[in-house]
Amino acid sequence: GQEYASVPIGKPIDNTQLYIVSRYDQLQPIGVPGELCIAGDGLARGYLNRPELTAEKFVTIPFMEDGRMYRTGDLARWLPDGNIEYMGRIDHQVKIRGYRIEIGEIETQILKVAGVRETVVVAREDESGKKELCAYFAADRKLTVSEWREALSQELPGYMIPTYFVQLEKLPLSANGKIDRKALPAPEGSVQTGAQYVAPRTLLEARLARIWKEVLGVSTVGVKDNFFELGGHSLRATTLVNKLHKEMNVDFPLRDVFRYPTIEAMARAVAGMEEGTFTAIPVVEEREHYPVSSAQKRLFILHQLEGAELSYNMPGAMLLEGALDRSRFEEAFRGLIARHETLRTGFEMANGEPVQRVYREVDFAVDYVQAG
């Protein structure tokens, strides 16, 4: 018979149609997750006194001439036998390092690992506001981060593998029997890397351990722990390299964080390097205008040629879903423009030479066009 990763929620009943659609409102094939939508005779007209929510959830069926369907907000997929498998809430979609991720898909893969009884994956914000995936699970045996990475890397891309894995006796439940996400402990300090704890033995290892704790946000680090199994990733590796440069005067290459991912190995590598002094780029004094670089001069001249003035424009399109607060949208751009001088820089001629001028303020407004 059919084996299920989780309990299926059945098939549509009489006079009811179920659709599983992608975020672009296309029907999903068997086995591919999407949003579960309901249509048919029993469909309600909408939410009482909630016109915005009604308009968002009760929509016309995009692949039919008429009819309306209700967006449930549930992530599901068709099984080959005609049943539907529930995979969690779509509002558990998150963006991690620029990738849109379905948390339900990660939980489904975790549940396939032998011995795992239950799991929940949440997106937690670190001190800098960046989101990290954290997997909490209860299992019949001890599982280490290295085991998890090995198991999940067969099924999931790297950006969907959680940064933290926290094993609990059982997941905390709220009064209504659902998993209480607020009661889940912070992941730091509860990560099982599988490495034996060995305290720093030299002054260099101790200095590296202190920097690692700051970068990773963990309370204890052993010299045999792996940077990437304690929650490190390429962005944190970059931060680590910058701190080594600034605080220890060591010009440690980023690729070497991947080659020497333990404090023990990193200390040996650092000991063999010459110290390089950290030098900050000096800030130039304010002037009315500044000389242009060779590359800027070339582009400035190209811009003057008829027919070539748009050659280096870089168009792009981005899809925003949901209601758009226009004033906050524009304010975000104005904040960026105020912060970055490059966005307030113009080019003009002075004494027959092209120069660049940094303006204190620039006019900015977003143009809105109705498509279709």
Side-chain angles (χ1 to χ4, degrees), residues 10 15 33 36 46 59 104 110 123 142 173 184 195 206 208 238 245 266 280-281 298 320 328 351 355 371:
N15 302 322
L36 180 64
V59 299
I110 289 174
K142 276 266 185 270
L173 300 179
L184 293 166
L208 285 174
T238 306
H245 192 191
M266 195 172 282
I281 298 171
R298 182 172 66 85
L320 293 177
R328 289 180 68 186
N351 302 322
V355 294

Side-chain angles (χ1 to χ4, degrees), residues 179-248:
I179 290 169
D180 186 355
R181 291 166 181 265
K182 293 191 178 74
L184 293 166
E188 289 83 0
S190 53
V191 177
Q192 298 284 332
T193 64
Q196 172 200 357
Y197 176 76
V198 177
R201 299 153 298 195
T202 65
L203 181 60
L204 178 54
E205 286 183 349
R207 291 177 76 186
L208 285 174
R210 181 183 58 77
I211 292 171
W212 275 39
K213 286 179 195 174
E214 288 175 17
V215 172
L216 295 168
V218 295
S219 51
T220 55
V221 177
V223 298
K224 293 185 182 293
D225 283 329
N226 186 299
F227 181 79
F228 299 98
E229 291 180 359
L230 284 173
H233 47 65
S234 53
L235 291 177
R236 284 181 168 172
T238 306
T239 305
L240 176 68
V241 164
N242 289 337
K243 276 187 175 288
L244 291 176
H245 192 191
K246 195 169 185 178
E247 297 182 26
M248 293 176 61

Side-chain angles (χ1 to χ4, degrees), residues 121-139:
V121 176
V122 298
R124 283 183 170 271
E125 282 194 5
D126 64 13
E127 290 169 5
S128 63
K130 292 191 180 75
K131 283 186 177 156
E132 306 285 1
L133 290 172
C134 179
Y136 297 87
F137 65 97

